[in-house]
Amino acid sequence: MVYLDDLDREILKLLKEDARITISEIGERLGKPESTIHFRIKKLIERGIIERYTIVLGESARPKEIAFVILELEKPVIEDFLSKYLEYVSRNLAMLPHILLVGKTKDERIIALIGAEDREELTKFIEENIKSIPSVKEVLVYHVEDFKKGEEIKGLLIGI
Amino acid sequence: MVYLDDLDREILKLLKEDARITISEIGERLGKPESTIHFRIKKLIERGIIERYTIVLGESARPKEIAFVILELEKPVIEDFLSKYLEYVSRNLAMLPHILLVGKTKDERIIALIGAEDREELTKFIEENIKSIPSVKEVLVYHVEDFKKGEEIKGLLIGI
């Protein structure tokens, strides 16, 4: 973990909450001169701690149904094929707009987060785009009902 | 899904990439007058499509190791206890800084995304904070090796 002092952390917290806050507002809230805040933000950007500024999409633009899917493929007969095939399948999944997140796991599975308008659309998507992948061994589907933390990923990862 | 026309989508894409872009830059890039862009952004905010502006934390602030964990609890003897217990456990997990995301699934499991500095810290965290939860039946751990999409959640969900 990089070194951040209390002032850095306070600035980052305010920017995470609302990145449109002005430097003078941050200074006022934290009781520091504007020049200090300006310098710190500049440094946080230079150090690669702030990567960029973005928007969070709201409820009305977010998928209503969310599920994590864990996909296991049959080990094919030809050696070394599995890792190439996993790479190929996960890249293809990444191109689909319903897929918000996709990654390969260390134990040769694929994990994906899928968003849809309703349960029916989600089930149809999984049937047509995941269960139909050649050589699928197992597809575990975990429908997320209720987030206690991190729900805003829906508004961050969704494609436009 | 809400109705968005092509111009709305183009504006949202530019803001997602870099929310510090000015209205006049957006106008120039999309060949539209500033007043149009200003009006559209105002409407996107009013309609709850843009919820807020935030920062994405960069590589140097992100956890190096990431795992999805799926937790199943034993069904306790007393009826109706499980749902309250799931609620309690998931709320407690949400308070821990290593937990980037936590939710309850429709089949009474808990799913969490955990971030740590290295494999050792991650394993220790799971032993001490997840496997030690009373009445744990099964803990599935999926270490994500390689993201094809959505990797930036690390820089969006991480606490400061």
Side-chain angles (χ1 to χ4, degrees):
Chain A
M1 197 65 181
V2 288
Y3 177 72
L4 297 170
D5 70 8
D6 286 350
L7 181 57
D8 291 330
R9 284 177 204 280
E10 289 303 321
I11 294 169
L12 290 171
K13 272 182 200 161
L14 292 174
L15 288 171
K16 283 192 85 176
E17 271 169 40
D18 178 9
R20 288 190 303 177
I21 191 170
T22 63
I23 287 173
S24 90
E25 280 172 317
I26 298 175
E28 239 169 72
R29 295 268 296 267
L30 304 180
K32 300 280 176 192
E34 265 186 53
S35 56
T36 305
I37 306 299
H38 180 78
F39 177 77
R40 288 297 185 108
I41 293 177
K42 193 168 159 275
K43 281 285 161 202
L44 288 166
I45 294 170
E46 279 171 16
R47 290 165 69 197
I49 292 160
I50 297 174
E51 186 180 283
R52 61 194 179 85
Y53 288 65
T54 190
I55 49 171
V56 183
L57 297 185
E59 206 51 58
S60 60
R62 295 180 185 185
K64 304 291 167 284
E65 277 283 324
I66 283 277
F68 283 96
V69 170
I70 292 152
L71 176 67
E72 192 180 355
L73 299 172
E74 293 282 358
K75 306 246 180 303
V77 184
I78 305 157
E79 293 225 9
D80 294 339
F81 177 70
L82 184 62
S83 68
K84 284 175 197 161
Y85 189 48
L86 277 169
E87 178 73 18
Y88 177 70
V89 169
S90 52
R91 279 189 189 280
N92 281 333
L93 288 173
M95 288 188 288
L96 302 172
H98 284 80
I99 301 275
L100 306 184
L101 176 153
V102 62
K104 293 189 294 177
T105 71
K106 286 203 171 101
D107 59 351
E108 299 184 321
R109 286 180 172 86
I110 290 172
I111 188 159
L113 178 65
I114 302 169
E117 275 307 283
D118 53 39
R119 186 70 172 262
E120 200 187 324
E121 187 187 301
L122 191 73
T123 305
K124 192 164 169 272
F125 178 85
I126 292 169
E127 289 295 330
E128 289 178 0
N129 296 282
I130 296 186
K131 291 191 176 163
S132 65
I133 294 167
S135 172
V136 160
K137 188 178 172 187
E138 191 181 32
V139 180
L140 300 173
V141 182
Y142 298 99
H143 293 273
V144 183
E145 193 178 48
D146 176 22
F147 279 95
K148 299 297 174 209
K149 191 177 196 173
E151 183 159 18
E152 61 179 4
I153 52 159
K154 293 192 217 168
L156 290 161
L157 297 181
I158 184 182
I160 309 292
Chain B
M1 198 64 179
V2 288
Y3 178 73
L4 297 170
D5 71 7
D6 286 351
L7 180 57
D8 291 330
R9 284 176 204 280
E10 289 304 321
I11 293 170
L12 290 171
K13 272 183 201 162
L14 290 174
L15 288 171
K16 283 192 84 175
E17 271 169 39
D18 179 8
R20 289 192 303 178
I21 190 170
T22 64
I23 287 174
S24 89
E25 280 172 319
I26 297 175
E28 238 169 71
R29 295 269 295 268
L30 304 179
K32 300 280 176 190
E34 266 185 54
S35 56
T36 304
I37 305 299
H38 179 80
F39 177 78
R40 289 297 186 108
I41 292 177
K42 192 168 159 278
K43 283 283 163 205
L44 288 166
I45 294 171
E46 279 171 14
R47 291 166 69 197
I49 292 160
I50 296 175
E51 186 180 283
R52 60 193 179 85
Y53 288 65
T54 191
I55 49 171
V56 183
L57 297 184
E59 205 53 57
S60 60
R62 295 182 185 184
K64 305 290 166 284
E65 277 283 324
I66 283 275
F68 283 96
V69 170
I70 292 153
L71 176 67
E72 193 181 353
L73 299 172
E74 293 283 358
K75 306 244 180 302
V77 183
I78 306 159
E79 292 223 11
D80 293 340
F81 177 72
L82 184 62
S83 68
K84 285 175 197 162
Y85 188 49
L86 277 170
E87 179 73 17
Y88 177 70
V89 169
S90 53
R91 278 189 189 281
N92 282 332
L93 288 172
M95 289 189 287
L96 301 172
H98 285 81
I99 301 275
L100 305 184
L101 176 154
V102 62
K104 291 190 295 177
T105 71
K106 287 203 170 103
D107 59 351
E108 300 185 321
R109 286 181 172 85
I110 291 172
I111 189 159
L113 178 64
I114 302 168
E117 274 308 282
D118 53 40
R119 187 68 172 261
E120 201 188 325
E121 188 188 302
L122 191 74
T123 305
K124 192 162 169 273
F125 178 86
I126 292 170
E127 289 295 331
E128 289 178 1
N129 296 282
I130 295 185
K131 290 192 177 164
S132 66
I133 295 168
S135 168
V136 159
K137 188 177 171 187
E138 192 182 32
V139 180
L140 300 173
V141 182
Y142 299 100
H143 293 273
V144 183
E145 195 177 48
D146 176 21
F147 280 94
K148 298 296 174 213
K149 191 176 195 172
E151 183 160 18
E152 62 180 3
I153 51 159
K154 293 193 220 169
L156 290 162
L157 297 181
I158 183 181
I160 308 294

